[in-house]
Amino acid sequence: MSNDPDYDRRAGMFGMPTKDDLQSIVESDLDSVVFLDVRSPPELEDAALKVRKYKHCWCTMDDQSGLAERATELVPDKDATVVVFCAVGGRSSKAKTVLESMGYSKVYNGGGLKDLDYLDK
């Protein structure tokens, strides 16, 4: 449990690791971790991940076909650590499932962009 009840609730709904666990995972593989933003283009215009490079592939709750088509282009190494994020964790949960079904072995639901605040530290 964190000090953020909203995060804890969404973590339970969308299978997100604790922030501490995710921070440890990211720090252990900092040079090769791939951050994958699945938010819409307008959401990207409003705010983007500023402290790390990221890749983008728009997904909706109902349609992740674009990710399925582009996954090997976006993340060629199926053993790479991939942190998928969106606005609150729902779309990234769906995207995580798609990547895992394609054989990606280290995929984590990072939740929403606001949840990646630990990267600023």
Side-chain angles (χ1 to χ4, degrees):
M1 299 291 280
S2 71
N3 292 330
D4 183 347
D6 177 57
Y7 183 88
D8 294 338
R9 180 184 58 78
R10 289 180 294 114
M13 288 173 53
F14 302 127
M16 297 159 30
T18 68
K19 284 187 177 185
D20 288 342
D21 286 349
L22 190 56
Q23 183 174 5
S24 294
I25 291 163
V26 167
E27 288 175 352
S28 71
D29 200 13
L30 198 54
D31 293 332
S32 60
V33 65
V34 177
F35 290 92
L36 180 60
D37 188 341
V38 297
R39 296 174 305 140
S40 69
E43 288 173 302
L44 271 176
E45 290 175 17
D46 287 343
L49 185 62
K50 293 182 177 21
V51 295
R52 296 282 188 271
K53 291 182 182 178
Y54 65 91
K55 298 186 179 191
H56 177 255
C57 185
W58 180 22
C59 294
T60 68
M61 288 296 286
D62 297 321
D63 184 6
Q64 302 85 43
S65 61
L67 177 59
E69 291 170 8
R70 295 188 54 213
T72 55
E73 165 199 337
L74 294 165
V75 188
D77 180 2
K78 290 189 176 187
D79 293 321
T81 300
V82 181
V83 176
V84 187
F85 66 97
C86 59
V88 297
R91 287 173 286 177
S92 50
S93 175
K94 299 271 189 172
K96 175 182 181 288
T97 299
V98 167
L99 292 173
E100 289 173 334
S101 75
M102 297 177 69
Y104 288 85
S105 60
K106 294 188 268 184
V107 185
Y108 301 92
N109 183 351
L113 177 63
K114 69 180 181 175
D115 299 320
L116 300 176
D117 58 348
Y118 65 86
L119 294 171
D120 291 331
K121 298 174 183 173

